[in-house]
Amino acid sequence: MHFSRQAAIVGVHEHETRWAPDKTDFQLAAESARAALADAGLTLKDVDGYFVAGVSGMAPALMCEHLNIRPKVVDSTSIGGTSFLAHAAHAASAIATGRCEVALITYGSTAASRGVAVGTGGRAGYEIPEQYELPYGLTTVAAYALCAQRHMHEFGTTSEQLAEIAVTFRRHASLNPHAKYREPITVEDVLASRMISSPLHLLDCCIISDGAGAVVMTSAARARDCAKPPVWLLGAGETVFHPEAGKRDFMRMAASQTGPIALGQAGVRLEDIDLCMIYDSFTITVLMTLENLGFCKIGEGGAFVSGGRLALDGELPTNTDGGGLSSNHPGMRGIFLIIEATRQLRGECGPRQVPNCRLALAHGTGGTLGTRHGGVTLILGRD
Amino acid sequence: MSEWRKPVPRVDAESKPFWEACRRHELYLQRCRACQEFYYYPRNTCPYCLGSDVEWVRLSGRGTVYTFTVTYQHGGEGFRDEVPFVIAYVELEGTGGVKMLTNVVECDPAQVRIGMPVEVTFRDVNDELAIPVFRPRGE
């Protein structure tokens, strides 16, 4: 079974803020919800499905209380920063089966202004597997660096190749008025930035910002009456990867499983994709995701990302908003992948618009590549 | 024994034998008698068949570095003052390729390489607990 244009994204909003010390996480999320509903030409009263991540505890109850809504469907699937892509898939299923008609997905975070060291703070919490990790000082950066180091060893991938990813996305950010960092950088700048966890330098790592976003989805019938043209969710795949009881090949990630499923549902091929939105927690995340999705063979990602292929004017424009490496990363970036893809498919992106963008692939990797990560692929298309 | 300021493992019913062996400075892993597969981390149902017929097996403690990272920035208590230090996955000898997250110690971080032979050693947390880490060994 596939979605076959049964559910559409009809409203999106990415909060302009990157620094909001005088606001709460809930306030940012509510402001984006208001703007995304307005974008769709809908109101809070229309919302009967609600999806949220990044809120601890009884998340849907807390946020529904804040928004003062009583939806028919709630979901707080929490698989790291990619959670919101899973929410979009779940919302599409709920809409397709008639369990709800208007789904709202929200996110808000003041990670930067609260001084959260997202990548290097050392992790709290004591889930069962963490007793075998926390005593060794595994940070989020280190967990991705373990994969990067192995990739370099097995395939000869270089720091220069990883750096080109950061340089390309910074160039895209320079075209995005809301991006946190817009000054162009060079490969040399990346290599000269301080080492955080080898082989990942500071500029191989996503930034930390405040931020928020919201997405509104509805049925095909209802979408026709909305303010903006529908962006269809054509296919979705989700899973979680983990150390597999110690036997995992760390060069393989969730994208290897979710990509083919999503493409198959949509009935499209990688060659048809006009835009990629890839969760760029780190440069290595992008390189390995493209490999695992099948854009190139595993091990060939270094060559694949070279020569400007991911640039706006390249063969495979990727992260046109500047990504988490330059635009915004409040801790969980997945929702921004959906928002930028939607805006590109609508043709709203001004100087960073991909010409005639008809089909987009968004892939989120949440959690940590070197231990447990969630992966979700979405295929989005316009009429 | 110097004061341990890093996170202390929260020992549970399934991990107790593993940590008790570590306290004796011995490295044990579980193996499913039906599947004959070693696995890590410890759990009392086999992650291949969900069976409960699993046994504890003492390992040689030798291994090779599968991958590693030298961490230069860490905000956590006990690590902040220790940077740079090495976090690694070590492939454990005699386990059919089981990899264990650990630290590589007692060497210059710049000398650590993938494929490097290492052997287990232990860092005593207190009288009840010791953490398995790895140091270079001869070929």
Side-chain angles (χ1 to χ4, degrees), chain A residues 207-240:
Chain A
I207 64 169
I208 302 172
S209 69
D210 293 343
V215 172
V216 179
M217 297 177 67
T218 194
S219 62
R222 194 91 185 251
R224 297 299 169 197
D225 299 327
C226 286
K228 295 280 177 69
V231 165
W232 302 102
L233 202 164
L234 302 172
E238 70 187 59
T239 189
V240 287

Side-chain angles (χ1 to χ4, degrees), chain A residues 2 43 62 92 107 110 117 136 172 176 180 192 213 216 249 255 268 284 291 336 348:
Chain A
H2 56 90
T43 71
L62 291 167
Y107 173 57
T110 52
Y136 301 115
H172 295 165
N176 176 1
K180 183 163 177 175
V216 179
D249 172 358
V268 300
I284 187 65
E291 289 180 349
F336 307 124
E348 294 178 345

Side-chain angles (χ1 to χ4, degrees), chain B residues 51-79:
Chain B
S52 294
D53 187 16
V54 300
E55 60 184 338
W56 287 97
V57 179
R58 188 174 179 185
L59 303 186
S60 69
R62 288 187 292 271
T64 52
V65 173
Y66 170 81
T67 189
F68 72 97
T69 178
V70 183
T71 287
Y72 293 85
Q73 183 174 333
H74 200 301
E77 179 76 13
F79 300 109

